[in-house]
Every structure is written in structure tokens, then in C-alpha cells.
Amino acid sequence: MTIASETFLLLSFIIIFLSTRNTKKNVLLVILLIIGGAPLPYLAIDHVNSDYVDANIGLGLAFMFTWIYSVIAFVIAIILLVKKKRNNNISKEQ
């Protein structure tokens, strides 16, 4: 489940990267990807290494954070992709 969550997050950022080909924005995208993707693997590894008697609330919160972050990134990616397609269609019509 961790790999699927991280893959969806990475896919969203790849779409954003392909939609915007600006070097300064790409550096920001890499930083945002690291911020969004770092908590989940860290807490998943911590959960495997530690035996908790109770539920691991931190791991659940990391999953929720990553899923919400991924959905927001995916919506932004779709908006940028549609915007790029519209601009290409408008420029072809003229």
C-alpha cells in the first residue's frame, strides 16, 4: 500500500513536470515531491522495525497526508494538462 501511494504521488508530479517545462518550477516541484513523499516511507520503516502494542497513529496520519497531498497534486496536474491542451488548440486554430 505504501508503494502504491508513493507511485500515485510520483505520477501526479510527473504529469505536472511534463505540463510545465520551466527549470525554476522544476526545482520547486522536486522539493514539493520530497516534502509530500518523505513522511510515509519513514513511518512505514519505523512501523516495521518497532513492535507497537497499540495502533500506530503516526503511520495512519502519514497515509492520510500522502493521499490528500497526492489528490491535490493530481487535480493540479489535470488542470495544468487541460490548460496546456487548450492553449495548443487555440494556437492551432489561429
Side-chain angles (χ1 to χ4, degrees):
M1 182 115 91
T2 304
I3 294 171
S5 299
E6 291 292 325
T7 304
F8 184 67
L9 178 65
L10 184 62
L11 175 69
S12 301
F13 274 91
I14 288 173
I15 294 171
I16 293 173
F17 172 75
L18 293 176
S19 297
T20 61
R21 294 285 182 145
N22 189 346
T23 309
K24 291 180 184 177
K25 286 184 181 178
N26 291 342
V27 172
L28 179 65
L29 288 176
V30 170
I31 293 169
L32 289 174
L33 177 63
I34 292 170
I35 290 171
L40 185 57
Y42 172 75
L43 287 170
I45 292 169
D46 180 54
H47 178 70
V48 170
N49 291 335
S50 303
D51 289 328
Y52 295 110
V53 176
D54 58 347
N56 190 347
I57 301 300
L59 183 61
L61 289 173
F63 270 109
M64 290 302 294
F65 172 76
T66 304
W67 292 338
I68 291 170
Y69 200 84
S70 298
V71 168
I72 291 170
F74 189 69
V75 168
I76 290 171
I78 296 298
I79 290 170
L80 289 174
L81 197 61
V82 168
K83 195 179 202 182
K84 184 177 179 182
K85 292 263 187 197
R86 270 195 198 154
N87 289 341
N88 286 342
N89 287 341
I90 289 172
S91 64
K92 287 180 183 179
E93 289 176 1
Q94 296 175 355

Coordinates of all heavy atoms in Angstrom, one line a residue:
M1 N 0.8 -1.2 0.0 CA 0.0 0.0 0.0 C 0.9 1.3 0.0 O 0.5 2.3 -0.6 CB -0.9 0.0 1.2 CG -1.8 1.2 1.3 SD -3.5 0.8 1.1 CE -4.0 0.6 2.8
T2 N 2.0 1.2 0.7 CA 2.9 2.3 0.7 C 3.5 2.6 -0.7 O 3.6 3.7 -1.1 CB 4.1 2.0 1.7 OG1 3.6 1.7 3.0 CG2 5.0 3.2 1.8
I3 N 3.9 1.5 -1.4 CA 4.4 1.7 -2.7 C 3.4 2.3 -3.7 O 3.7 3.2 -4.5 CB 5.0 0.4 -3.3 CG1 6.1 -0.1 -2.4 CG2 5.4 0.5 -4.7 CD1 6.6 -1.5 -2.7
A4 N 2.1 1.8 -3.6 CA 1.0 2.4 -4.4 C 0.8 3.8 -4.1 O 0.6 4.6 -5.1 CB -0.2 1.5 -4.2
S5 N 0.8 4.2 -2.9 CA 0.6 5.6 -2.5 C 1.7 6.5 -3.0 O 1.5 7.6 -3.6 CB 0.5 5.8 -1.0 OG -0.6 5.0 -0.5
E6 N 3.0 6.0 -2.9 CA 4.1 6.8 -3.4 C 4.1 6.9 -4.9 O 4.5 7.9 -5.5 CB 5.4 6.2 -2.9 CG 5.6 6.4 -1.4 CD 5.8 7.8 -0.9 OE1 6.4 8.6 -1.7 OE2 5.4 8.2 0.2
T7 N 3.7 5.8 -5.6 CA 3.6 5.8 -7.0 C 2.6 6.8 -7.5 O 2.8 7.5 -8.5 CB 3.3 4.4 -7.5 OG1 4.3 3.5 -7.0 CG2 3.3 4.3 -9.0
F8 N 1.4 6.8 -6.9 CA 0.4 7.8 -7.3 C 0.9 9.2 -7.1 O 0.7 10.1 -8.0 CB -0.9 7.6 -6.5 CG -2.0 8.4 -7.0 CD1 -2.6 8.3 -8.2 CD2 -2.5 9.4 -6.1 CE1 -3.6 9.1 -8.6 CE2 -3.5 10.2 -6.5 CZ -4.1 10.1 -7.8
L9 N 1.6 9.5 -6.0 CA 2.2 10.8 -5.8 C 3.2 11.1 -6.9 O 3.2 12.2 -7.4 CB 2.8 10.9 -4.4 CG 3.5 12.2 -4.0 CD1 2.5 13.3 -4.0 CD2 4.2 12.0 -2.7
L10 N 4.1 10.2 -7.2 CA 5.1 10.4 -8.2 C 4.5 10.6 -9.6 O 4.9 11.5 -10.3 CB 6.1 9.2 -8.2 CG 7.3 9.3 -9.2 CD1 8.1 10.5 -8.8 CD2 8.0 8.0 -9.2
L11 N 3.4 9.9 -9.9 CA 2.7 10.0 -11.2 C 2.1 11.4 -11.3 O 2.3 12.1 -12.4 CB 1.7 9.0 -11.3 CG 0.8 9.1 -12.6 CD1 1.6 8.7 -13.8 CD2 -0.4 8.2 -12.4
S12 N 1.6 11.9 -10.2 CA 1.0 13.3 -10.3 C 2.1 14.3 -10.5 O 1.9 15.2 -11.3 CB 0.3 13.6 -8.9 OG -0.7 12.6 -8.7
F13 N 3.2 14.2 -9.9 CA 4.3 15.1 -10.1 C 4.9 15.0 -11.5 O 5.4 16.0 -12.0 CB 5.3 15.1 -9.0 CG 5.0 15.9 -7.8 CD1 4.2 15.4 -6.8 CD2 5.3 17.2 -7.7 CE1 3.9 16.1 -5.7 CE2 5.0 18.0 -6.7 CZ 4.2 17.5 -5.6
I14 N 4.9 13.8 -12.1 CA 5.5 13.6 -13.4 C 4.6 14.4 -14.4 O 5.0 15.0 -15.3 CB 5.6 12.1 -13.8 CG1 6.8 11.5 -13.0 CG2 5.8 11.9 -15.3 CD1 6.9 10.0 -13.1
I15 N 3.2 14.3 -14.2 CA 2.3 15.0 -15.1 C 2.5 16.5 -15.0 O 2.5 17.2 -16.0 CB 0.9 14.6 -14.8 CG1 0.6 13.1 -15.1 CG2 -0.1 15.4 -15.5 CD1 -0.7 12.6 -14.7
I16 N 2.7 17.0 -13.8 CA 2.9 18.4 -13.6 C 4.2 18.8 -14.2 O 4.3 19.8 -14.9 CB 2.9 18.8 -12.1 CG1 1.5 18.6 -11.5 CG2 3.4 20.2 -11.9 CD1 1.5 18.8 -10.0
F17 N 5.3 18.0 -14.1 CA 6.6 18.2 -14.7 C 6.5 18.3 -16.2 O 7.1 19.2 -16.8 CB 7.6 17.2 -14.3 CG 8.9 17.3 -15.0 CD1 9.8 18.2 -14.6 CD2 9.2 16.4 -16.0 CE1 11.0 18.3 -15.3 CE2 10.4 16.5 -16.6 CZ 11.3 17.4 -16.3
L18 N 5.7 17.4 -16.8 CA 5.6 17.4 -18.2 C 4.7 18.6 -18.7 O 4.9 19.0 -19.9 CB 5.0 16.1 -18.7 CG 5.9 14.9 -18.5 CD1 5.2 13.6 -18.9 CD2 7.2 15.0 -19.3
S19 N 3.8 19.1 -17.9 CA 3.0 20.2 -18.3 C 3.7 21.5 -18.2 O 3.5 22.4 -18.9 CB 1.8 20.3 -17.4 OG 1.0 19.1 -17.5
T20 N 4.7 21.7 -17.3 CA 5.5 22.9 -17.1 C 6.9 22.6 -17.3 O 7.5 21.8 -16.6 CB 5.3 23.5 -15.7 OG1 5.8 22.5 -14.8 CG2 3.9 23.8 -15.4
R21 N 7.5 23.1 -18.3 CA 8.9 22.9 -18.7 C 9.8 24.0 -18.3 O 10.7 24.4 -19.0 CB 9.1 22.7 -20.2 CG 8.4 21.4 -20.7 CD 9.2 20.2 -20.3 NE 8.6 19.0 -20.8 CZ 9.2 18.0 -21.3 NH1 10.5 18.0 -21.2 NH2 8.6 16.9 -21.7
N22 N 9.6 24.6 -17.1 CA 10.3 25.7 -16.6 C 11.3 25.2 -15.5 O 11.0 24.5 -14.6 CB 9.4 26.7 -15.9 CG 10.1 28.0 -15.6 OD1 11.3 28.1 -15.5 ND2 9.3 29.0 -15.3
T23 N 12.6 25.5 -15.7 CA 13.7 25.0 -14.8 C 13.4 25.4 -13.3 O 13.6 24.6 -12.4 CB 15.0 25.5 -15.3 OG1 15.2 25.2 -16.6 CG2 16.1 24.8 -14.5
K24 N 13.1 26.7 -13.1 CA 12.9 27.1 -11.7 C 11.7 26.4 -11.1 O 11.7 26.1 -9.9 CB 12.6 28.6 -11.7 CG 13.8 29.4 -12.1 CD 13.6 30.9 -12.1 CE 14.8 31.7 -12.5 NZ 14.5 33.1 -12.6
K25 N 10.6 26.2 -11.9 CA 9.5 25.5 -11.3 C 9.8 24.0 -11.1 O 9.3 23.4 -10.2 CB 8.3 25.6 -12.3 CG 7.6 26.9 -12.3 CD 6.4 26.9 -13.2 CE 5.8 28.3 -13.2 NZ 4.6 28.3 -14.1
N26 N 10.7 23.4 -11.9 CA 11.1 22.0 -11.7 C 11.8 21.8 -10.4 O 11.6 20.8 -9.7 CB 11.9 21.5 -12.9 CG 11.1 21.4 -14.1 OD1 9.9 21.4 -14.1 ND2 11.8 21.4 -15.3
V27 N 12.6 22.8 -10.0 CA 13.3 22.7 -8.7 C 12.3 22.7 -7.6 O 12.4 21.9 -6.6 CB 14.4 23.8 -8.6 CG1 15.0 23.8 -7.2 CG2 15.5 23.7 -9.6
L28 N 11.3 23.6 -7.7 CA 10.3 23.7 -6.7 C 9.5 22.4 -6.7 O 9.1 21.9 -5.6 CB 9.4 24.9 -7.0 CG 8.2 25.1 -6.1 CD1 8.7 25.4 -4.7 CD2 7.3 26.2 -6.6
L29 N 9.2 21.8 -7.8 CA 8.4 20.6 -7.9 C 9.2 19.4 -7.2 O 8.6 18.6 -6.5 CB 8.1 20.2 -9.3 CG 7.1 21.0 -10.0 CD1 7.0 20.6 -11.5 CD2 5.8 20.9 -9.3
V30 N 10.5 19.3 -7.3 CA 11.3 18.3 -6.7 C 11.2 18.5 -5.2 O 11.0 17.5 -4.4 CB 12.7 18.3 -7.2 CG1 13.6 17.4 -6.4 CG2 12.8 17.9 -8.6
I31 N 11.3 19.7 -4.7 CA 11.2 20.0 -3.3 C 9.9 19.6 -2.7 O 9.8 19.0 -1.7 CB 11.6 21.5 -3.0 CG1 13.1 21.7 -3.3 CG2 11.3 21.8 -1.5 CD1 13.4 23.2 -3.3
L32 N 8.8 20.0 -3.5 CA 7.4 19.6 -3.0 C 7.2 18.1 -3.1 O 6.5 17.6 -2.2 CB 6.4 20.3 -3.9 CG 6.3 21.8 -3.7 CD1 5.3 22.4 -4.8 CD2 5.8 22.2 -2.3
L33 N 7.8 17.4 -4.0 CA 7.7 16.0 -4.1 C 8.4 15.3 -2.8 O 7.8 14.4 -2.2 CB 8.3 15.4 -5.3 CG 8.3 13.9 -5.5 CD1 6.9 13.4 -5.6 CD2 9.1 13.5 -6.7
I34 N 9.5 15.8 -2.5 CA 10.2 15.3 -1.3 C 9.4 15.6 0.0 O 9.3 14.7 0.8 CB 11.6 15.9 -1.2 CG1 12.5 15.3 -2.4 CG2 12.3 15.5 0.1 CD1 13.8 16.0 -2.5
I35 N 8.9 16.8 0.1 CA 8.1 17.1 1.3 C 6.8 16.2 1.4 O 6.5 15.7 2.4 CB 7.7 18.6 1.2 CG1 8.9 19.5 1.5 CG2 6.6 18.9 2.3 CD1 8.6 21.0 1.2
G36 N 6.2 16.0 0.2 CA 5.0 15.1 0.2 C 5.3 13.6 0.4 O 4.4 12.9 0.9
G37 N 6.4 13.2 -0.1 CA 6.7 11.8 -0.1 C 7.5 11.2 1.1 O 7.5 10.0 1.3
A38 N 8.2 12.1 1.8 CA 9.1 11.6 2.8 C 8.5 11.0 4.1 O 9.0 10.1 4.6 CB 10.1 12.8 3.2
P39 N 7.4 11.6 4.6 CA 6.8 11.0 5.8 C 6.4 9.6 5.8 O 6.6 8.8 6.7 CB 5.6 11.9 6.1 CG 5.9 13.2 5.4 CD 6.6 12.8 4.2
L40 N 5.8 9.2 4.7 CA 5.2 7.8 4.6 C 6.3 6.7 4.6 O 6.2 5.8 5.4 CB 4.4 7.7 3.3 CG 3.6 6.4 3.2 CD1 2.7 6.1 4.4 CD2 2.8 6.4 1.9
P41 N 7.4 6.8 3.8 CA 8.4 5.7 3.9 C 9.1 5.7 5.2 O 9.4 4.6 5.8 CB 9.4 6.1 2.8 CG 8.7 7.0 1.8 CD 7.6 7.7 2.6
Y42 N 9.3 6.9 5.8 CA 10.0 7.0 7.1 C 9.1 6.2 8.2 O 9.6 5.4 8.9 CB 10.2 8.4 7.5 CG 10.7 8.6 8.9 CD1 12.0 8.2 9.2 CD2 9.9 9.0 9.9 CE1 12.5 8.4 10.5 CE2 10.3 9.1 11.2 CZ 11.6 8.8 11.5 OH 12.1 8.9 12.8
L43 N 7.8 6.6 8.2 CA 7.0 6.0 9.2 C 6.7 4.5 8.9 O 6.5 3.7 9.9 CB 5.7 6.8 9.4 CG 5.9 8.1 10.1 CD1 4.7 9.0 10.1 CD2 6.4 7.9 11.6
A44 N 6.6 4.1 7.7 CA 6.4 2.7 7.3 C 7.6 1.9 7.8 O 7.5 0.8 8.3 CB 6.2 2.6 5.8
I45 N 8.8 2.4 7.6 CA 10.0 1.7 8.0 C 10.1 1.6 9.5 O 10.4 0.6 10.1 CB 11.3 2.3 7.4 CG1 11.4 2.1 5.9 CG2 12.6 1.8 8.1 CD1 12.4 2.9 5.2
D46 N 9.7 2.7 10.2 CA 9.7 2.7 11.6 C 8.6 1.7 12.2 O 8.9 1.1 13.2 CB 9.3 4.1 12.1 CG 9.2 4.2 13.6 OD1 10.2 3.8 14.3 OD2 8.2 4.7 14.2
H47 N 7.5 1.6 11.5 CA 6.5 0.6 11.9 C 7.0 -0.8 11.8 O 6.7 -1.7 12.7 CB 5.2 0.8 11.1 CG 4.1 -0.1 11.4 ND1 3.4 -0.1 12.6 CD2 3.6 -1.2 10.7 CE1 2.6 -1.1 12.7 NE2 2.6 -1.8 11.5
V48 N 7.7 -1.1 10.8 CA 8.3 -2.5 10.6 C 9.3 -2.8 11.6 O 9.4 -3.9 12.1 CB 8.9 -2.6 9.1 CG1 9.6 -3.9 9.0 CG2 7.8 -2.5 8.1
N49 N 10.1 -1.8 12.0 CA 11.2 -2.0 12.9 C 10.8 -2.0 14.4 O 11.4 -2.6 15.2 CB 12.3 -0.9 12.7 CG 13.1 -1.1 11.4 OD1 13.1 -2.2 10.9 ND2 13.6 0.0 10.9
S50 N 9.7 -1.4 14.7 CA 9.2 -1.3 16.1 C 7.9 -2.1 16.2 O 7.1 -2.1 15.4 CB 8.9 0.1 16.4 OG 10.0 0.9 16.2
D51 N 7.8 -2.8 17.3 CA 6.6 -3.5 17.7 C 5.8 -2.7 18.6 O 6.1 -2.6 19.8 CB 6.9 -4.9 18.3 CG 7.5 -5.8 17.2 OD1 7.1 -5.7 16.0 OD2 8.4 -6.7 17.6
Y52 N 4.7 -2.2 18.1 CA 3.8 -1.4 19.0 C 2.7 -2.3 19.5 O 2.2 -3.1 18.7 CB 3.2 -0.2 18.2 CG 4.2 0.9 17.8 CD1 4.6 1.0 16.5 CD2 4.9 1.7 18.8 CE1 5.5 2.0 16.1 CE2 5.8 2.6 18.4 CZ 6.1 2.8 17.1 OH 7.0 3.7 16.7
V53 N 2.3 -2.1 20.7 CA 1.2 -2.8 21.2 C -0.1 -2.3 20.7 O -1.1 -3.0 20.4 CB 1.2 -2.8 22.8 CG1 0.0 -3.5 23.4 CG2 2.5 -3.5 23.3
D54 N -0.2 -0.9 20.6 CA -1.4 -0.3 20.2 C -1.3 0.1 18.7 O -0.3 -0.2 18.0 CB -1.7 1.0 21.0 CG -0.5 2.0 21.0 OD1 0.6 1.6 20.5 OD2 -0.7 3.1 21.4
A55 N -2.3 0.8 18.2 CA -2.3 1.2 16.8 C -1.3 2.3 16.6 O -1.1 3.1 17.4 CB -3.7 1.7 16.4
N56 N -0.7 2.3 15.4 CA 0.3 3.3 15.1 C -0.4 4.4 14.4 O -0.6 4.4 13.2 CB 1.4 2.7 14.1 CG 2.6 3.6 13.9 OD1 2.5 4.8 14.3 ND2 3.7 3.0 13.4
I57 N -0.7 5.4 15.2 CA -1.5 6.6 14.7 C -0.6 7.4 13.7 O -1.1 7.9 12.8 CB -1.9 7.5 15.9 CG1 -2.8 6.7 16.9 CG2 -2.6 8.7 15.4 CD1 -4.1 6.1 16.2
G58 N 0.7 7.5 14.0 CA 1.6 8.2 13.1 C 1.6 7.7 11.7 O 1.6 8.4 10.7
L59 N 1.5 6.4 11.6 CA 1.5 5.7 10.2 C 0.2 6.0 9.5 O 0.2 6.4 8.3 CB 1.7 4.2 10.3 CG 1.8 3.5 9.0 CD1 3.0 4.0 8.2 CD2 1.9 2.0 9.3
G60 N -0.9 6.0 10.2 CA -2.2 6.4 9.6 C -2.2 7.8 9.2 O -2.8 8.1 8.1
L61 N -1.7 8.7 10.0 CA -1.6 10.1 9.6 C -0.7 10.3 8.4 O -1.0 11.2 7.6 CB -1.2 10.9 10.8 CG -2.2 11.1 12.0 CD1 -1.5 11.8 13.1 CD2 -3.4 11.8 11.5
A62 N 0.4 9.6 8.3 CA 1.2 9.7 7.2 C 0.5 9.2 5.9 O 0.7 9.9 4.9 CB 2.5 8.9 7.4
F63 N -0.2 8.2 6.0 CA -1.0 7.7 4.8 C -2.0 8.8 4.4 O -2.2 9.1 3.3 CB -1.7 6.4 5.1 CG -0.9 5.2 4.7 CD1 -0.4 4.4 5.7 CD2 -0.7 4.9 3.4 CE1 0.4 3.3 5.4 CE2 0.1 3.8 3.1 CZ 0.6 3.0 4.1
M64 N -2.7 9.3 5.4 CA -3.8 10.3 5.1 C -3.1 11.6 4.5 O -3.6 12.1 3.5 CB -4.5 10.7 6.4 CG -5.5 9.6 6.8 SD -6.7 9.1 5.6 CE -7.6 10.6 5.5
F65 N -2.0 12.0 5.0 CA -1.3 13.2 4.5 C -0.8 12.9 3.1 O -1.1 13.7 2.2 CB -0.1 13.5 5.4 CG 0.8 14.5 4.8 CD1 0.5 15.9 4.8 CD2 2.0 14.2 4.2 CE1 1.3 16.8 4.3 CE2 2.9 15.1 3.6 CZ 2.5 16.5 3.7
T66 N -0.3 11.7 2.8 CA 0.2 11.4 1.5 C -1.0 11.3 0.5 O -0.9 11.8 -0.7 CB 1.0 10.1 1.5 OG1 2.1 10.2 2.4 CG2 1.6 9.8 0.1
W67 N -2.1 10.7 0.9 CA -3.2 10.6 0.0 C -3.8 11.9 -0.3 O -4.1 12.2 -1.5 CB -4.3 9.7 0.6 CG -3.9 8.3 0.7 CD1 -2.9 7.6 0.0 CD2 -4.4 7.3 1.6 NE1 -2.8 6.3 0.4 CE2 -3.7 6.1 1.4 CE3 -5.4 7.3 2.6 CZ2 -4.0 4.9 2.1 CZ3 -5.7 6.1 3.3 CH2 -5.0 5.0 3.0
I68 N -4.0 12.8 0.7 CA -4.5 14.1 0.4 C -3.6 14.9 -0.4 O -4.0 15.6 -1.4 CB -4.9 14.8 1.8 CG1 -6.0 14.1 2.5 CG2 -5.2 16.3 1.5 CD1 -6.3 14.6 3.9
Y69 N -2.3 14.9 -0.2 CA -1.3 15.6 -0.9 C -1.3 15.1 -2.4 O -1.2 15.9 -3.3 CB 0.1 15.3 -0.3 CG 1.2 16.3 -0.6 CD1 1.3 17.5 0.0 CD2 2.1 16.0 -1.6 CE1 2.3 18.4 -0.3 CE2 3.1 16.9 -1.9 CZ 3.2 18.1 -1.2 OH 4.2 18.9 -1.6
S70 N -1.4 13.8 -2.6 CA -1.5 13.2 -3.9 C -2.7 13.6 -4.7 O -2.6 13.9 -5.9 CB -1.5 11.6 -3.8 OG -0.3 11.2 -3.2
V71 N -3.8 13.6 -4.0 CA -5.1 14.1 -4.7 C -5.0 15.5 -5.1 O -5.3 15.9 -6.3 CB -6.3 13.8 -3.8 CG1 -7.5 14.5 -4.4 CG2 -6.6 12.3 -3.7
I72 N -4.5 16.4 -4.3 CA -4.3 17.8 -4.6 C -3.3 17.9 -5.8 O -3.6 18.7 -6.7 CB -3.8 18.6 -3.4 CG1 -5.0 18.7 -2.3 CG2 -3.4 20.0 -3.8 CD1 -4.5 19.2 -1.0
A73 N -2.2 17.2 -5.7 CA -1.2 17.3 -6.8 C -1.8 16.7 -8.1 O -1.6 17.3 -9.2 CB 0.0 16.5 -6.5
F74 N -2.7 15.7 -8.0 CA -3.3 15.1 -9.2 C -4.3 16.1 -9.8 O -4.3 16.2 -11.1 CB -3.9 13.8 -8.9 CG -4.4 13.0 -10.1 CD1 -3.5 12.5 -11.0 CD2 -5.8 12.9 -10.4 CE1 -3.9 11.8 -12.1 CE2 -6.2 12.2 -11.5 CZ -5.3 11.6 -12.3
V75 N -5.1 16.8 -9.0 CA -6.0 17.7 -9.5 C -5.3 18.9 -10.2 O -5.7 19.3 -11.3 CB -7.0 18.2 -8.4 CG1 -7.8 19.5 -8.8 CG2 -7.9 17.1 -7.9
I76 N -4.2 19.4 -9.6 CA -3.4 20.4 -10.2 C -2.8 20.0 -11.5 O -2.8 20.7 -12.5 CB -2.3 20.9 -9.2 CG1 -3.0 21.7 -8.0 CG2 -1.3 21.8 -9.9 CD1 -2.0 22.0 -6.9
A77 N -2.4 18.7 -11.6 CA -1.8 18.2 -12.8 C -2.8 18.1 -13.9 O -2.5 18.5 -15.0 CB -1.2 16.8 -12.5
I78 N -4.0 17.7 -13.6 CA -5.1 17.6 -14.6 C -5.4 19.0 -15.1 O -5.6 19.2 -16.3 CB -6.3 16.9 -14.0 CG1 -6.0 15.4 -13.7 CG2 -7.5 16.9 -15.0 CD1 -5.5 14.6 -14.9
I79 N -5.5 20.0 -14.2 CA -5.9 21.3 -14.6 C -4.8 21.9 -15.5 O -5.1 22.5 -16.5 CB -6.0 22.2 -13.3 CG1 -7.3 21.9 -12.6 CG2 -6.0 23.7 -13.7 CD1 -7.5 22.5 -11.2
L80 N -3.5 21.7 -15.1 CA -2.4 22.2 -16.0 C -2.4 21.5 -17.4 O -2.1 22.1 -18.4 CB -1.1 22.0 -15.3 CG -0.8 22.9 -14.1 CD1 0.5 22.4 -13.4 CD2 -0.7 24.3 -14.5
L81 N -2.7 20.2 -17.4 CA -2.7 19.4 -18.6 C -3.9 19.9 -19.5 O -3.6 20.1 -20.7 CB -2.9 17.9 -18.3 CG -2.6 17.0 -19.4 CD1 -1.1 17.1 -19.8 CD2 -2.9 15.6 -19.0
V82 N -5.0 20.2 -19.0 CA -6.2 20.7 -19.8 C -5.8 22.1 -20.3 O -6.1 22.4 -21.4 CB -7.5 20.7 -18.9 CG1 -8.6 21.5 -19.6 CG2 -7.9 19.2 -18.7
K83 N -5.3 22.9 -19.4 CA -4.9 24.3 -19.8 C -3.9 24.2 -21.0 O -4.0 25.0 -21.9 CB -4.3 25.0 -18.6 CG -4.2 26.4 -18.7 CD -3.6 27.0 -17.4 CE -3.9 28.4 -17.1 NZ -3.4 28.9 -15.9
K84 N -2.9 23.3 -20.9 CA -1.9 23.2 -21.9 C -2.5 22.8 -23.3 O -2.2 23.3 -24.3 CB -0.8 22.3 -21.5 CG 0.3 22.2 -22.5 CD 1.4 21.2 -22.0 CE 2.5 21.1 -23.0 NZ 3.5 20.2 -22.5
K85 N -3.5 21.8 -23.2 CA -4.1 21.3 -24.4 C -5.0 22.4 -25.0 O -5.0 22.6 -26.2 CB -5.0 20.1 -24.0 CG -4.3 18.9 -23.6 CD -4.1 18.0 -24.8 CE -3.5 16.7 -24.3 NZ -3.0 16.0 -25.4
R86 N -5.7 23.2 -24.2 CA -6.5 24.3 -24.7 C -5.6 25.4 -25.4 O -6.0 25.9 -26.4 CB -7.2 25.0 -23.5 CG -8.6 24.4 -23.3 CD -9.4 25.4 -22.4 NE -10.5 24.6 -21.9 CZ -11.1 24.8 -20.8 NH1 -10.7 25.9 -20.1 NH2 -12.1 24.1 -20.4
N87 N -4.5 25.7 -24.8 CA -3.6 26.7 -25.4 C -3.0 26.2 -26.7 O -2.9 26.9 -27.7 CB -2.4 27.0 -24.5 CG -2.9 27.9 -23.3 OD1 -3.9 28.5 -23.3 ND2 -2.1 27.9 -22.2
N88 N -2.7 24.9 -26.8 CA -2.3 24.3 -28.1 C -3.4 24.3 -29.1 O -3.1 24.6 -30.3 CB -1.8 22.9 -27.9 CG -0.4 22.8 -27.2 OD1 0.3 23.8 -27.1 ND2 -0.1 21.7 -26.6
N89 N -4.6 24.0 -28.7 CA -5.7 24.0 -29.7 C -6.0 25.4 -30.2 O -6.3 25.6 -31.3 CB -7.0 23.4 -29.1 CG -6.8 21.9 -28.9 OD1 -6.0 21.3 -29.6 ND2 -7.6 21.3 -28.1
I90 N -5.9 26.4 -29.3 CA -6.2 27.8 -29.7 C -5.1 28.3 -30.6 O -5.4 29.0 -31.6 CB -6.3 28.7 -28.4 CG1 -7.6 28.4 -27.6 CG2 -6.2 30.2 -28.8 CD1 -7.7 29.1 -26.3
S91 N -3.9 27.9 -30.4 CA -2.8 28.4 -31.2 C -2.9 27.7 -32.6 O -2.5 28.3 -33.6 CB -1.4 28.1 -30.6 OG -1.2 26.8 -30.4
K92 N -3.4 26.5 -32.7 CA -3.5 25.8 -34.0 C -4.7 26.4 -34.8 O -4.6 26.4 -36.0 CB -3.8 24.3 -33.7 CG -2.6 23.5 -33.3 CD -2.9 22.1 -33.1 CE -1.7 21.3 -32.6 NZ -2.0 19.9 -32.4
E93 N -5.7 26.9 -34.1 CA -6.8 27.5 -34.8 C -6.5 28.8 -35.5 O -7.0 29.2 -36.5 CB -8.0 27.7 -33.9 CG -8.6 26.4 -33.4 CD -9.7 26.6 -32.4 OE1 -10.0 27.8 -32.0 OE2 -10.3 25.6 -32.0
Q94 N -5.5 29.5 -35.0 CA -5.2 30.8 -35.5 C -4.2 30.7 -36.6 O -3.8 30.7 -37.4 CB -4.6 31.7 -34.4 CG -5.6 32.0 -33.4 CD -5.0 32.8 -32.2 OE1 -3.8 33.1 -32.2 NE2 -5.8 33.3 -31.3

